[in-house]
Amino acid sequence: FFAIVVPAVFRLQNQLDFITRHNEFNTIIGSLIAMVGGFFIMRRLSDFPGISAGSYVVVSFSITYGLIMAIFFLFRIDYSRYVYIASFGLSLLWFISIYLMVNRRSKTRFSVISGGHADGLLEIGDIGWTVLNAPEAYHPKNGAVVADLRQNYSAKWERFIADCALRGIPVYHSKQVKEALSGKVEIEHLSENNFGSLLPNMVYLHFKQFIDLVVALLFLPLFAIILVIVGSAILLTSGGPVFFRQQRMGYRGQPFMVYKFRTMSNEDSEADGNGQEFGEQENGLRASAMTRDDDGRITRLGGFLRKYR
């Protein structure tokens, strides 16, 4: 409502005859179609496990608003740029605000059919898991259905899974859900088809690397100002080095050095490992390198940067 009406009211001189003005009327209709389309795209994306709908608000509405603008341009339809751009901005503001409010009060929910590897999903936190003891216990408010589709279920459960798929209720394999939520891929076995899917497309990788470089160079002048401000703030508030660097394992097992703004105190928190066996020392170093919840080493500025990065 706000994304369509408010820009039109500000743009039009007379509120009573805005329908008779073709460009404003065309813009309102186009904005309505783009907004509804963006909403449905965002909803469809949120059905996939591990996908945060809020992170796709900009993508969803940019696609629909871009398509409508292309139609305006190709068919030479009169429209108001001011109203259209204002509608796009208010749509983003409105749906991002709604997502943030809903996300604080709710969490992702799944209904799990017990058996096989599906039982291991219950160990993943921050998810509302509901274990189904019987097909009749399912309720749509408990989210999509998750099951180990390689498990031999009874005929009753097989009918329930097939019925859910026919009714449009998402049914996911437990392995896919675990990978989506944890970000880790579990390889159980390899076949000739796996090697084809594991082999990356080198043309795509080179093209992506080129696009990444071009976009980074284009935005560098703008973000350089932000980088200087953040670096100066770190130097003034906690002293010491501005950047934290650490060796990571990269593409094809090649180690590389990552640089990022320091968000923790400058004290050396790594264990020295004196008097310990190599295995114990390695475990101690790994444990000290991990950031825990409410870690006391995080500075006040570092907490802000971590939250709004």
Side-chain angles (χ1 to χ4, degrees), residues 31 54 78 108 125 182 240 280 294:
S31 299
D78 293 331
T108 306
S182 65
E280 297 177 354
D294 299 326

Side-chain angles (χ1 to χ4, degrees), residues 243-249 255-260:
F243 294 102
F244 169 81
R245 64 176 188 171
Q246 189 179 55
Q247 191 177 63
R248 301 282 180 86
M249 192 63 68
F256 72 99
M257 191 68 67
V258 62
Y259 294 86
K260 55 184 179 179

